[in-house]
Each structure stands twice: as C-alpha cells, then as structure tokens.
Amino acid sequence: MVLGSCVLLQPLSGAAAPGDWFSDDFETGTLRTSDTPAGRWDSTGASSPNTLTNGTAGAHRGQYGLTVVDRTSNAGSQANANVVRDPLTTELHVRTWLRLRAVSTPGSMVVLQALPARLELRLLAPGPIWELAGRNGADQSTYVSIHGSRVEEERWYLVEFSAWGLGTNAGEAKLWVDGVEQGVFSGRDWRGTNYLMSRLVVGEPWADAGNFIGSIDFDDVRVSATPMASRLELRRPVGAGDSSGCVAVDVSLRSSATGAPAPAPYTMEVALAVTEGAGRFHVDAACGFPVPGALLLAGASEQRVYFRPGGTGGKATVKATHPDFLSATLPLEGIAPPDGEGDPDEDPVGPWTTDLGCTSAPGALVALPVLLWPWIRFRRRWHTPKSPHCARISESTG
C-alpha cells in the first residue's frame, strides 16, 4: 500500500486545553496530595463507619475510581474529598461520571459542591432524581434548583453543570445528564464575594436526613473555566470531496454547554466501528492505509479519517466510542465504491511504503519519523495483545 499523505493523524484543531482548574481520573491509586504516589485532593474525611476509597470497584474508565460507602442513618457530612485552587470568578464548568450502587435505603444528599458559591449537585428521594441547587442574593438566603431525570441504580451517568455570570445580577446555571439538558435557572443575583468557586467537594458532603445507605462511585472528575468535552460527534464534512470511493468523516469532541468543538483533556484513542453495512476506516484520502480508530492528541478537538465502504449497498452506519465520552453514530448513504470495489476483508497490516516525493522539501527525511510516530504508536497499541492489567490506553495529563 502507498501512504496517502505525508502528515499522518494530524488533528484539524489542536490548541492546548484552556481553563483547566482541576481533574482527577483516580489512576494514581491514591487520593491526597500527601500520599505516595501523590493524589490530587488536598484533604479527605469520612464519618465512621463510612468510607471513602480509591479502588477498582469505583472505576468507570481505567483501573480506579472514587467510592463512598455510607453505612449510617445519620444526617450531616458523611464523607468527602476537598481541593482548593485559585478562584473561578466569571464562570465554571463541572463534569463527572457517577453511579449509585448497592443501595439498601434511598435518601436525599449532596454529592458535589462548588464553594463558596454553594452550587450543589444533589440526589433527591423519593426517586431518586437529579437536582442542581444554588443560592441567590447577597446573603445567599434564597434556594433555587433544577429537577432532572430519574436516577437508576447500578448505571453510570455523565453528569455536568455550568454556571455563568458569577459576580453579577444575571447569574445562570444549567444541568446535563448524559448530554441531555435537564433545565436552567437564570436571572440570579450572584453579586458579592461569595459567588465564586475556590473549593470543590466530592463524595457525600451532606445528607439531609441520613436515610441513604449504599455506595456512590465517581470517576473522571473535572472542573474548568471553559466548556469541556462531553461527547463524540461524527460528521461528513461539506466540500471535503470523496475520491476512489473513500468518504471523509470528521471525528470530534463536543461540549454539552455550547455544542462547539472542545479540546481533548489527554491524548486519546477513539474506537471506530461499522454497526450496519460494511467497510473500513483509513488515515489517508486514498484509503490505502487502514486504521481501527482516530487518535486525538491532547488539546485537539477534531480528527479526519476516511471510510471505504465494502460491498455495493451504498449505505452504512458508523460509530465512535471512548469510555470517557458519550458515543456517536453516523448514517452514511450513497457511498457505494465505484464498480463494487469495496473490500472489507482487506489486510490492515500493510505492506506500505513512504515513497511519496515528500523528500523534495529540505529536512523532510529528518521530519518523516516524527510525522510517522503518532500513527505507528497508535497502530502498535491497537494490534498488540494486552493483559487485563493494561486495559487503560490513555492517561490523563493532570
């Protein structure tokens, strides 16, 4: 096969992720900054016999996640992890994967707090249902909230909330569950020194009546001053032009808050699959070099790949997945290759050459290994068998 481009797997956009305030994927296996290896949280605490641990039971992605186990019937603070940073004074964006597990008694509780603004993610019983709650007025005396969808036990949710207009009398907050907006409250009076975020609390910092008995799992907790990526999206770019029966497809990360492209928080491998029809993905526009997915470098938001359909049906449905983001599908029509040339059984392992005339530019031979490295590394990791202990394929940059 001939490599169809001199620049391989280069993202369509790739600025460094802006506005990062805090993140923890819990893959250090520890919690506190004083632990070895150092965790991300400044302090942790639990009211006995409750526990707060970083372990395998709470993992949504990778090896570890945070688990709170509440075994008491007491009101008040049950277990929490705290982190303090320089304050966010204009807007804030928070996201986490969250799951209720082994619940024997339901109850109302706070599971995440942005302080001192007192913007809280809560679970309300009966139901339970999601709630985003906040305060209003200079003395924070008025309680406002959004009630969202019902929470099912033993199911992971991507939960996000954002707040804008901190320090103004036009404050606004929104809640999303699995990328679906649950509601908004706006026109809040958030003037005053308390309406900012300098402290994040996760766990069960408050139980209203102490009824809840069970476990709460958290993974991939992030806070940012700018909208963060929550979901994948597949698009067939307008005007990209198809050639040799190959179809251009853009793989991107998008924000729930704006719908706009959002940067990858770390280098990540997006798996691509054909769920209906047949075909393969390629890195080059000539569809000469198959790949099993798209590599998004840290800070990148989009990557273009090329799909060569198999058979003559002219239709296919493709899917993009990654364990930290909501998946995406894209129906493709009118994509039959010329003269039925599609070959879904094409060998994805070469042979291939790099004799593309790229050496005509000064320094091209020196630069070629650098350009090839992301793809070669990506390819090797997808085709090398992994032990169960190597399931994690991309780490957070913290």
Side-chain angles (χ1 to χ4, degrees), residues 5 37 43 53 75 85 102 122 131 148 158 172 174 197 227 230 250 257 273 282 293 325 342 350 353 382 389 396:
S5 173
S43 63
T53 57
R85 295 285 188 271
R122 301 170 60 94
E131 182 189 49
L158 179 61
E172 179 178 292
K174 289 185 179 182
M197 180 179 182
S230 62
D250 286 343
H282 300 75
F325 302 93
T353 72
W382 275 87
H389 300 289
S396 171

Side-chain angles (χ1 to χ4, degrees), residues 31-57:
L31 289 174
R32 295 180 299 274
T33 55
S34 58
D35 294 337
T36 303
R40 300 283 292 160
W41 302 87
D42 295 327
S43 63
T44 61
S47 175
S48 182
N50 301 334
T51 59
L52 182 143
T53 57
N54 188 352
T56 57

Side-chain angles (χ1 to χ4, degrees), residues 36-290:
T36 303
R40 300 283 292 160
W41 302 87
D42 295 327
S43 63
T44 61
S47 175
S48 182
N50 301 334
T51 59
L52 182 143
T53 57
N54 188 352
T56 57
H60 175 261
R61 176 179 69 97
Q63 299 183 69
Y64 304 109
L66 175 68
T67 296
V68 173
V69 179
D70 185 347
R71 298 186 178 93
T72 70
S73 296
N74 301 322
S77 179
Q78 306 303 316
N80 58 79
N82 296 262
V83 64
V84 177
R85 295 285 188 271
D86 292 337
L88 299 177
T89 58
T90 304
E91 62 184 86
L92 61 91
H93 305 269
V94 182
R95 55 153 278 171
T96 183
W97 286 95
L98 191 150
R99 175 179 64 173
L100 293 183
R101 181 168 49 85
V103 177
S104 61
T105 307
S108 298
M109 58 187 164
V110 177
V111 294
L112 196 151
Q113 290 178 316
L115 299 174
R118 297 179 71 183
L119 197 63
E120 299 175 338
L121 177 65
R122 301 170 60 94
L123 294 174
L124 296 184
I129 62 172
W130 301 102
E131 182 189 49
L132 180 65
R135 298 289 174 169
N136 183 56
D139 58 357
Q140 296 191 324
S141 59
T142 304
Y143 182 92
V144 293
S145 67
I146 300 166
H147 287 183
S149 57
R150 192 177 188 278
V151 185
E152 298 177 10
E153 294 179 29
E154 312 297 333
R155 181 187 184 285
W156 281 103
Y157 293 89
L158 179 61
V159 189
E160 308 167 86
F161 65 85
S162 298
W164 300 267
L166 300 176
T168 75
N169 63 352
E172 179 178 292
K174 289 185 179 182
L175 171 68
W176 296 265
V177 177
D178 287 343
V180 178
E181 185 178 316
Q182 304 293 296
V184 58
F185 54 75
S186 58
R188 301 298 96 191
D189 183 0
W190 284 350
R191 291 173 293 182
T193 57
N194 282 328
Y195 289 106
L196 52 82
M197 180 179 182
S198 59
R199 179 183 173 197
L200 175 71
V201 187
V202 170
E204 193 182 356
W206 190 262
D208 292 347
N211 296 329
F212 177 82
I213 298 178
S215 297
I216 315 164
D217 296 324
F218 301 83
D219 204 355
D220 284 295
V221 177
R222 294 195 196 101
V223 183
S224 179
T226 56
M228 292 179 288
S230 62
R231 61 182 174 88
L232 291 161
E233 183 172 272
L234 295 170
R235 287 187 177 184
R236 190 172 178 179
V238 177
D242 303 335
S243 61
S244 302
C246 296
V247 178
V249 176
D250 286 343
V251 183
S252 67
L253 285 171
R254 299 274 165 168
S255 162
S256 294
T258 63
Y266 48 81
T267 296
M268 54 182 285
E269 294 160 354
V270 179
L272 298 174
V274 184
T275 61
E276 183 179 352
R280 288 199 174 188
F281 295 93
H282 300 75
V283 68
D284 58 311
C287 283
F289 204 34

